[in-house]
Amino acid sequence: MAPWQNDYLLALQERDKKEKKFHGFYETYARLADRTAAADKRAVLQANNDRTDTANVALQAPGPGESIIKIRDDLAEAQRSREILQSHLQNVSDELQKLKIQTALDNKRIADLTSERASLTIKIRDRDEELREKSKLLEDIHDETVSLTLQLNMAEEQTKALRQENKDLIDRWMARMGKEADAMNKASKFG
């Protein structure tokens, strides 16, 4: 089951628990209201019967005084129940208001975090692009360094070869000049 479904089911269960917490009060109030309505109906019927049939007054069950006392007791019980329910309604309304405020704060926080997340995503994307460019630049520099190193090595080998060739030429020239000087010295008889 997806996480949002779990959250939704938990929220429904919590709502049901809160709503059913006062179910007993509602039922009591409904029964009292039904009894009050039934007593009122009986009183009206009895008053009508008293008017239409004066001969049967002694045979009727409770008198109008008892009925009024019963109705007053029921009304007092209904008033107490109403006060209790009103108090609970106020508590639930206060809790609902607190939850609405908390929800508004949470929604604002979610919006702020979503905005920050989008900003950070863009920054990461830019940083990744920058790193790719720097990596490419580093690779180009490395390739250029390798190329220059090869050219330097070739130039050093050429320089070494030219120095050796120059040394050989100088040695041959010195040997030739030495022979010519010896030949001149022999010719002039100094040697």
Side-chain angles (χ1 to χ4, degrees):
M1 192 177 279
W4 69 267
Q5 290 172 331
N6 285 337
D7 293 344
Y8 185 69
L9 287 176
L10 288 174
L12 287 176
Q13 290 170 352
E14 179 127 353
R15 184 211 57 196
D16 289 345
K17 190 188 316 178
K18 285 181 181 178
E19 287 179 359
K20 290 180 182 176
K21 181 166 70 172
F22 303 111
H23 185 69
F25 293 113
Y26 297 138
E27 287 295 320
T28 303
Y29 183 76
R31 281 195 308 272
L32 286 173
D34 290 344
R35 282 192 347 213
T36 303
D40 288 343
K41 188 176 180 182
R42 279 194 309 263
V44 169
L45 286 175
Q46 186 168 350
N48 286 339
N49 286 339
D50 284 346
R51 283 188 213 137
T52 57
D53 190 14
T54 55
N56 294 328
V57 172
L59 298 175
Q60 291 181 357
E66 291 178 20
S67 180
I68 291 173
I69 292 172
K70 175 88 168 120
I71 290 171
R72 283 186 182 159
D73 288 344
D74 288 345
L75 182 61
E77 182 65 30
Q79 286 290 6
R80 282 192 296 276
S81 177
R82 181 186 173 281
E83 289 173 7
I84 291 170
L85 290 174
Q86 189 66 33
S87 171
H88 285 298
L89 176 63
Q90 184 61 41
N91 290 340
V92 169
S93 295
D94 291 346
E95 183 68 23
L96 176 63
Q97 189 61 31
K98 287 178 188 175
L99 290 174
K100 282 182 180 179
I101 291 170
Q102 185 62 42
T103 300
L105 292 173
D106 289 345
N107 287 340
K108 184 183 181 322
R109 179 75 174 137
I110 287 170
D112 291 346
L113 289 174
T114 301
S115 173
E116 185 178 352
R117 179 178 176 260
S119 173
L120 290 174
T121 301
I122 290 170
K123 284 181 181 179
I124 287 173
R125 200 176 312 133
D126 291 347
R127 190 59 45 99
D128 287 345
E129 183 65 30
E130 182 182 338
L131 288 173
R132 277 194 294 276
E133 290 295 322
K134 285 183 178 181
S135 177
K136 186 178 182 299
L137 180 64
L138 184 62
E139 199 173 298
D140 291 346
I141 290 173
H142 178 68
D143 292 345
E144 187 69 24
T145 304
V146 168
S147 173
L148 290 174
T149 302
L150 287 174
Q151 288 177 2
L152 179 64
N153 287 341
M154 289 172 56
E156 285 178 353
E157 287 179 14
Q158 281 181 333
T159 302
K160 187 177 175 184
L162 288 173
R163 281 188 181 152
Q164 186 61 41
E165 184 179 335
N166 190 30
K167 184 177 179 264
D168 291 344
L169 285 174
I170 289 175
D171 288 344
R172 282 190 308 189
W173 185 76
M174 288 299 283
R176 184 173 149 214
M177 286 298 169
K179 286 182 186 177
E180 285 180 10
D182 286 343
M184 279 170 73
N185 283 338
K186 280 187 187 181
S188 55
K189 297 195 180 176
F190 282 114

